[in-house]
Amino acid sequence: MTIAAPPLADPRALAPARKVLAEVFGYREFRPGQPEVIASVLARRDTLAVMPTGGGKSFCFQVPALLASDTLTVVVSPLLALMKDQVDALRQSGVAAAAVNSTMSREDQAAVMEQAVSGELRLLYVAPERFGDGGFMAALRRANVGLLAIDEAHCISQWGHDFRPSYRDLGSVRPRLGNPPIVALTATADPLVREDIVERLQLHAPVVHVAGFDRPNLRFDVIRTKSIKEKQELIAAKLKTLGEESAIVYCGTRKKVEELTDYLQRQRIKCARYHAGMPDDDRRRIQDAFARDSLRIIVATNAFGMGIDKPDVRMVLHHDLPDSLESYYQEAGRGGRDGEPADCVLYFSQRDRQLREFFIDLAHPEPHMVVDVYKRLVEFQGKRTHIRELMTEEDQPGINAAVQTLVDCGLAGRQGQMAWATRPNGEDEIDTAGLEAHRDHAVRKLDSMQHYAESMTCLRARILDYFGETGHGASCGSCGPCIAPPARIIGALTEADDRLFHALRAVRRRFADEANVPPFTIFSDATLHEMARRTPRNRVEMLSVSGVGQVKFERYGEAFLAVTRAAAPAGGAPAGQIAPGPRRDVPLRSREGKALNASLRRTWELFREGHDIPAIAAQRGLSTSTITQHVVDLLLAKEIDDVSRWVDEMTMARIRRAAGEGPIGPLGPLKEQLGESVSYDQLHLARAWINTRERGQAS
Ligand code: ADP
Ligand code: ZN
């Protein structure tokens, strides 16, 4: 593998990237690794970024995507839920992003592709299967693709723990898109997997960046137990300390998920189960409820995984031993993505290793067993034989994998549970060395996991050593072995801050429910904590809170300010805070100088408190069309600066197209043209917006 040193991150070259980070996303500092990866992407180099889960991989392609205003960034992502969350989050920040997937109607797909081709979109999210769709590829070829970002890139490797067949053909996609540079991103540190990624994606002299793997806000612990019962009791006790926040409990099998969920529910702990044996609909519902905070605790197999980028998970507990430290760190890393503390606890008993060994036998049969199975098939002289009859002992794990290996070597055929030899004398073609290597690899990974579970010294240091990170201390001072006996670290918030934090969460919740998006896409917990601590009183102070970008301020800033202002201490700001700006009282006149009548003003106040049209209508006992008219007036008076919460980007684009050029007149013809999918209220709002902001006429 050719590895180029990352280009030195020239601070000047990164100035525009910092500007985007601050203005669009509201963050002041890059996280470790982001500057190097972004610099490499901006230099149009092929790049492989290895960063821990929660390390901030998304900005590595999102920031460059926003800097390239004339090209499209295509993002390949393995799961719909993951794409949806990222697209929601980007749109909340005012970024033109969309996803196309097979669950959308043909028209909706076409509308998105039209935006992609016209240059309106900055980021387009797709699942790898899309590239096999002729219509999609034809449309995409007309778009100006400037960057191909491949998220969760380890899915391309069979050495990885998440191999997905749909990723296999990604290597051939780039030439069909006009050869844009590729940035591949993964949290997997395994060198074999990295090499595989570079090879299969055919990266040209890639810059490989491995970011710091330390996640200082995660607190690691291992609790040794003697029985399943003890594990269950300890996990229940731990979950009872959770309060209103979110947790994931991982189990090694579906059966254990079922058992633990039942136990916890008997203990009156509200939780839901999640595993691959459940219907898709149920799984989607649970993921959604979790993202939206209406469900706090999920008990799951590792099937609950990649789609989860909820930043405010406060505990990740493991009921069973994972298969490798990679898997463990990836799963535990789903805690505390927002940078706030999270507890990662592994509950371990000596017998746990057996379960994993069984799984290794299942997936990686010993070479001699594959050879034996082949010999038996040959004895049957090509006759179809039930796999059961090939076993030498009862219930032989790995028999399926053994037959599959023979099929892959071209020595056997298979249909369901029936198999047959395709020819005799093929023994030498069985790749015994390869089988042995796969098996060894898996056993070595399990060993490293067990060493972690039995460690008497700093757990963080063990993880960092495993990932090849040097220069860290021998003791982190926060993990189990470092602070025995366990001391509970008190959160940084005072009680008053905590009350305020919950009030801010309630406002966030309301916006999220109205827009039907997960709360964290509005603001993260970390952002709300900072608001609670600093109680901003004006726009400038609010914009200086990490996570508050321009668009989000325009959308939500006032509603949150209404809460923080009320809680801000009277008089001067406490030491260390920004001096308060002049208190902005509700003006009697709009910025355009028009007097706002009392009714309009009341609507405006309620709007600023964060209520949306139906809520204001209900509260005031007026119809929604009256309140919509108020909002139209406020838009015209430039008191409201955004319509995207009522008219999404796609609808707006359709209205613009249907309206043709010039200021928009009567709405009847437009309504006729656009049909049921666009309401009159939306047309009213869009007309006010387009006529005053885009087509220079005050309607
Ligand atoms: P990954 O894909 O590496 O697991 P994400 O890209 O989902 O991680 O980022 C995890 C969280 O960290 C997100 O909530 C994101 O907004 C936040 N984040 C990323 N970069 C920064 C940064 N430079 N400053 C503050 N927060 C960041
Ligand atoms: Zn430690």
Side-chain angles (χ1 to χ4, degrees), residues 236-293:
K238 178 81 182 166
L239 290 172
K240 282 184 177 158
T241 65
L242 186 64
E244 275 184 49
E245 308 200 282
S246 305
I248 307 173
V249 189
Y250 280 109
C251 297
T253 62
R254 294 175 192 179
K255 184 154 167 270
K256 294 196 177 195
V257 168
E258 299 289 349
E259 285 167 2
L260 183 62
T261 315
D262 290 346
Y263 174 81
L264 293 175
Q265 286 173 345
R266 281 201 302 277
Q267 302 299 309
R268 296 177 199 291
I269 294 173
K270 269 198 206 140
C271 59
R273 67 199 82 213
Y274 186 106
H275 57 67
M278 292 163 47
D280 284 355
D281 278 354
D282 289 357
R283 290 206 270 164
R284 207 164 308 128
R285 207 168 30 77
I286 287 167
Q287 279 203 10
D288 265 14
F290 189 61
R292 274 145 217 226
D293 285 350

Side-chain angles (χ1 to χ4, degrees), residues 411-625:
L411 295 173
R414 170 178 196 169
Q415 209 167 30
Q417 288 302 95
M418 304 301 282
W420 60 93
T422 50
R423 58 191 157 88
N425 307 324
E427 249 177 82
D428 292 347
E429 291 164 48
I430 299 172
D431 179 13
T432 46
L435 287 169
E436 196 72 64
H438 268 99
R439 201 181 153 87
D440 273 4
H441 192 67
V443 171
R444 262 183 283 123
K445 300 223 140 189
L446 179 57
D447 287 344
S448 67
M449 190 64 234
Q450 187 173 359
H451 291 154
Y452 174 90
E454 292 173 340
S455 177
M456 305 297 281
T457 57
C458 182
L459 295 171
R460 185 187 309 279
R462 267 197 182 267
I463 292 171
L464 297 178
D465 285 342
Y466 179 77
F467 286 116
E469 196 152 308
T470 52
H472 57 80
S475 159
C476 73
S478 74
C479 71
C482 284
I483 52 160
R488 197 169 155 64
I489 296 163
I490 310 289
L493 292 184
T494 67
E495 208 176 297
D497 288 348
D498 203 44
R499 263 201 309 278
L500 181 51
F501 172 68
H502 283 101
L504 293 168
R505 272 174 79 110
V507 175
R508 175 178 74 174
R509 182 65 193 255
R510 213 168 50 224
F511 279 122
D513 287 348
E514 271 169 16
N516 197 26
V517 295
F520 65 79
T521 63
I522 308 233
F523 287 127
S524 70
D525 273 5
T527 297
L528 296 190
H529 273 148
E530 193 175 326
M531 273 184 209
R533 267 192 310 264
R534 292 178 44 188
T535 55
R537 299 156 209 235
N538 55 44
R539 183 188 155 89
V540 175
E541 288 179 10
M542 187 55 104
L543 276 169
S544 76
V545 172
S546 177
V548 184
Q550 306 270 359
V551 169
K552 286 200 181 166
F553 179 82
E554 297 308 332
R555 282 186 196 170
Y556 309 118
E558 289 297 341
F560 286 88
L561 268 177
V563 178
T564 51
R565 259 193 217 122
Q577 286 193 339
I578 313 155
R583 220 190 125 93
R584 260 233 262 154
D585 276 313
V586 179
L588 287 164
R589 301 188 149 263
S590 78
R591 277 174 242 164
E592 301 287 279
K594 274 191 229 153
L596 298 182
N597 72 38
S599 177
L600 190 54
R601 214 183 114 192
R602 183 74 197 120
T603 295
W604 187 54
E605 284 167 2
L606 288 171
F607 176 75
R608 283 170 41 128
E609 283 169 23
H611 303 281
D612 200 6
I613 294 172
I616 300 175
Q619 194 167 339
R620 301 198 55 200
L622 297 170
S623 72
T624 50
S625 60

Side-chain angles (χ1 to χ4, degrees), residues 11 55 67 81 114 129 147 208 216 241 416 479 494 609 647:
L67 286 169
E114 202 174 308
E129 295 86 356
L147 176 64
V208 177
T241 65
C479 71
T494 67
E609 283 169 23
V647 189

